[in-house]
Amino acid sequence: MSVTVLVGTQWGDEGKGKIIDVLTRDIDMVVRFQGGNNAGHTVEIGDQKYVLHLIPSGIFRPGTVNIIGNGLVVDPISLQDEMEGLVKRGISVNGLQLSDKAHLILPYHRLMDAFKESQRAEGKKIGTTKRGIGPAYTDKADRCGIRALEMLDLAAFKERFTEYAEKYNQIFAAAGFETVDVAAEWPKLEAAAKYLQPYIKDTVLSVNMAAKAGKNILFEGAQGALLDVDHGTYPFVTSSNTTSGGACTGTGLSPRYIEEVYGVIKAYTTRVGEGPFQTELYGEEGESLRKAGNEYGATTGRPRRCGWFDAVASRYSCMVNGVNKLAITKVDVLDDLPELKICIAYEIDGKRYSEMPSDSKLLYKVTPIYETHPGWMTSTDNVCCWNDLPENARKYLQRLAELVDAEIGIVSVGPKREQTFEL
Ligand code: IMP
């Protein structure tokens, strides 16, 4: 048996969906443990491209059980859409389970997300995905959230939804903001609840029984460590624990079972939304990386900010996650660059920092201290083993691994399943 956690080590969009799809070859169960449909995991199989938001990436492997754990916030309408979309394309969702304890994102959460962003001054905006993630987690912590199990009793669900929608509407109306049209929203929610009812399960039991039975389980993280509500670049973070510790609270499995933590890192860095980005490249340099890497959000389509690999931030992430294996993605994007930079330390107000400071305000003042590496100027698209990589690429990747203090386990040189090899 093996229980593996896979997490993003940067600001998300590291290519986790693809790596999970590769790792699920021998996996019995794939479990999402946090976040919601703010995530966008892209998986390319043959000439087909799929983008998943809530459904675990194991759904493409027949016979795999796929779990949406208690740590997620789930928009029922969006989940129904995603499931129907897969079924239409011939992918079975029979093995999907939705935790009865997962909290629901309801229409008023989405509006509140937009409302709060509109209230934040320029420079203080978070740049959320506007999916209602933060407000749904707020209600969870405030003990007034509605959980998936409440969809099993439609009359009670309608009553609770109406009660809360009306409370939220008072706030929106007082601010002259758009309100929730309860009469229009309820039929959509009712239809989604009916559709999802057969999938609502006590997934804490499912995960624990699988672990006890010696099954191979993979926990699929969404977003990245630098967006973790505790460990990320607060307040420019998401509202969940994206780091490996979240895999236990978000599923109900004890840390005792976890054997391996895979950290997915992109061979450079990207960030979507607002917040500090220490190695960001602007102008032509940033634009050419964005184009080469097709760096546009899978969920919102927003252009991603791009920059050099930040070993200070990634080392911190690997430490917090306890990463012992790295999956390095998008190496091919760097193929045409004559020279590459890695940030090995920060200079802030004339002082050198080799560790990430906790205060985001300081991160805005970083002058990165770079080391420069020669590029390889050869296509790596068809490389299928470590020894076939150009020597400069091997040196660059080895240096990344050394700097973040973890071993390379997987290298990815393109979006397709086949463009991946293990070491
Ligand atoms: P929220 O999760 O929608 O509240 O957004 C909070 C921050 O996390 C914003 O900067 C988003 O751009 C970012 N974010 C949320 N989900 C993802 C993701 O899956 N990839 C990258 N960034 C994300």
Side-chain angles (χ1 to χ4, degrees):
M1 120 167 172
S2 75
V3 178
T4 304
V5 182
L6 184 139
V7 285
T9 60
Q10 294 156 317
W11 279 291
D13 309 315
E14 296 91 352
K16 292 178 292 293
K18 192 249 167 119
I19 300 297
I20 290 158
D21 176 60
V22 171
L23 285 177
T24 46
R25 270 194 312 251
D26 309 314
I27 292 286
D28 302 301
M29 180 181 267
V30 185
V31 192
R32 274 275 309 265
F33 56 88
Q34 47 69 231
N37 59 332
N38 47 351
H41 291 169
T42 306
V43 179
E44 286 189 32
I45 302 169
D47 59 358
Q48 296 291 308
K49 183 169 168 174
Y50 304 89
V51 182
L52 299 173
H53 299 285
L54 275 163
I55 296 175
S57 309
I59 203 76
F60 303 109
R61 303 273 183 194
T64 310
V65 177
N66 286 276
I67 293 199
I68 297 176
N70 57 276
L72 279 92
V73 284
V74 175
D75 182 330
I77 297 167
S78 166
L79 179 56
Q80 180 189 5
D81 272 1
E82 197 173 323
M83 290 167 72
E84 286 178 340
L86 285 180
V87 171
K88 261 192 213 133
R89 295 177 70 182
I91 309 287
S92 166
V93 294
N94 290 344
L96 189 70
Q97 297 185 16
L98 166 63
S99 169
D100 52 2
K101 291 187 180 131
H103 278 251
L104 299 184
I105 300 180
L106 294 162
Y108 46 79
H109 292 128
R110 283 196 304 272
L111 272 187
M112 184 52 97
D113 201 353
F115 174 63
K116 283 194 166 167
E117 272 290 83
S118 73
Q119 299 288 299
R120 291 182 185 114
E122 227 28 73
K124 298 247 158 81
K125 291 193 191 296
I126 293 168
T128 74
T129 58
K130 299 212 172 75
R131 299 294 193 267
I133 306 295
Y137 277 117
T138 302
D139 276 359
K140 173 180 175 174
D142 199 21
R143 293 147 298 177
C144 59
I146 299 183
R147 299 191 291 175
L149 60 88
E150 297 192 47
M151 292 195 290
L152 296 171
D153 177 345
L154 289 173
F157 180 36
K158 183 177 185 186
E159 206 173 294
R160 290 259 287 151
F161 165 65
T162 309
E163 180 194 340
Y164 280 102
E166 280 165 3
K167 281 189 185 153
Y168 270 88
N169 276 349
Q170 284 174 12
I171 302 170
F172 297 139
F177 200 73
E178 189 187 335
T179 53
V180 177
D181 183 342
V182 177
E185 292 297 336
W186 171 250
K188 290 186 253 171
L189 273 176
E190 185 182 35
K194 280 187 186 154
Y195 181 85
L196 295 175
Q197 278 173 351
Y199 300 92
I200 299 173
K201 299 270 161 31
D202 182 346
T203 59
V204 175
L205 265 185
S206 310
V207 175
N208 275 280
M209 278 163 59
K212 279 222 161 89
K215 303 280 184 198
N216 294 326
I217 306 175
L218 182 70
F219 291 101
E220 169 178 1
Q223 290 89 41
L226 301 173
L227 288 171
D228 185 288
V229 67
D230 283 284
H231 303 291
T233 50
Y234 193 89
F236 303 100
V237 292
T238 189
S239 302
S240 62
N241 283 118
T242 58
T243 43
S244 57
C248 295
T249 50
T251 64
L253 189 73
S254 161
R256 200 155 54 83
Y257 287 101
I258 293 169
E259 292 155 26
E260 193 149 73
V261 180
Y262 252 99
V264 187
I265 60 174
K266 207 183 275 196
Y268 50 98
T269 313
T270 60
R271 170 162 209 170
V272 196
E274 304 303 321
F277 182 175
Q278 299 82 290
T279 57
E280 183 162 10
L281 290 170
Y282 301 93
E284 191 37 48
E285 271 188 306
E287 188 52 34
S288 63
L289 206 48
R290 182 160 35 253
K291 274 204 194 117
N294 191 24
E295 295 293 356
Y296 298 90
T299 297
T300 58
R302 292 181 289 178
R304 297 179 185 141
R305 300 153 68 191
C306 297
W308 295 120
F309 187 80
D310 182 344
V312 181
S314 295
R315 181 170 56 247
Y316 165 77
S317 297
C318 287
M319 174 182 78
V320 172
N321 281 303
V323 167
N324 58 333
K325 285 252 175 79
L326 292 173
I328 309 184
T329 60
K330 296 194 124 175
V331 175
D332 55 301
V333 173
L334 305 178
D335 283 351
D336 296 331
L337 296 180
E339 205 168 65
L340 307 165
K341 289 186 180 163
I342 303 176
C343 170
I344 51 161
Y346 301 153
E347 192 185 298
I348 305 170
D349 292 334
K351 195 174 149 205
R352 187 183 168 108
Y353 287 69
S354 46
E355 301 297 338
M356 270 264 287
S358 304
D359 187 349
S360 285
K361 287 199 288 301
L362 290 182
L363 294 175
Y364 279 111
K365 297 200 215 166
V366 163
T367 305
I369 300 173
Y370 286 118
E371 61 179 31
T372 304
H373 292 257
W376 42 94
M377 307 290 283
T378 320
S379 169
T380 55
D381 285 6
N382 296 318
V383 170
C384 50
C385 68
W386 176 255
N387 288 335
D388 287 351
L389 274 177
E391 190 187 354
N392 284 350
R394 273 184 277 140
K395 282 190 179 154
Y396 176 77
L397 298 182
Q398 257 156 352
R399 183 66 179 141
L400 298 193
E402 179 186 37
L403 285 166
V404 304
D405 195 18
E407 238 176 65
I408 305 176
I410 294 180
V411 174
S412 162
V413 290
K416 304 249 180 284
R417 253 185 192 170
E418 315 75 73
Q419 291 174 301
T420 313
F421 51 86
E422 290 179 55
L423 267 68

